[in-house]
Amino acid sequence: ALLAAVLGAVVPTQALALLGVDNEAVLKTVVWGGLRELAPLVTALVLIARSAVAMAAEIALMHLRSGLSDAQWADAAHEEEVVLPRVLGLALAGALLVSYFQAVSIAAALLASALLLGTPLDTELDYFLANGAWWQVPLSMGKGALFGLGIGVVACYHGLQAAPQVAAVPKAAVAACIGSLVFVAVADGLAVALRWL
């Protein structure tokens, strides 16, 4: 919330300073940068730092402590109990965190714009609602869900692939972090490339 508020307040402030009092340019900067690009990326970084590493370590520890054989880990029912809730949970968390990030950053941006321009807050809100593209919100929430889904899959994969040794637990966590970062970078690059086609 703090990061979203700072981003929402700083982007219009800097855009107004650089572009002058041009509400349309500020609006496009906040909506395009905050809603569609930065919210899913920042959310993905939070999910990687907070959840992917912990998830991979947790699954690696399950493997270590239970002493299950590789055949038992490969059992589909067991993977559904271990993997499916975590992957779907991260996908849902990604979408919800993106929407939360968007709401906070837009509120901060509207407040900052109203203060800088000396206009009433309801005027800024009306202008935003009249000129904002509503479809960007579900699009970026979908992007957040996709990032969460991929991060969950990568984290579970590295946790499940860990050898049943104590030294394998931190290796799984690091591999999950790096693998998730690579996934997010590639997925975001593909999304940008598809947008320009």
Side-chain angles (χ1 to χ4, degrees), residues 32-75:
W32 182 254
L35 286 181
R36 201 154 163 209
E37 295 300 326
L38 289 176
L41 286 175
V42 170
T43 300
L45 292 176
V46 169
L47 289 177
I48 290 169
R50 172 61 184 93
S51 300
V53 173
M55 192 180 299
E58 177 191 26
I59 294 172
L61 281 172
M62 283 180 184
H63 196 188
L64 175 68
R65 289 182 179 168
S66 66
L68 293 174
S69 68
D70 289 337
Q72 288 171 309
W73 271 107
D75 182 23

Side-chain angles (χ1 to χ4, degrees), residues 83-135:
V83 175
L84 193 59
R86 287 164 177 81
V87 170
L88 294 180
L90 271 186
L92 180 62
L96 292 177
L97 285 172
V98 165
S99 65
Y100 179 70
F101 188 96
Q102 291 169 343
V104 171
S105 63
I106 288 173
L110 293 174
L111 184 62
S113 294
L115 290 173
L116 287 172
L117 297 173
T119 57
L121 186 58
D122 60 341
T123 303
E124 289 294 321
L125 181 60
D126 290 341
Y127 186 81
F128 174 78
L129 292 175
N131 294 308
W134 65 269
W135 52 268

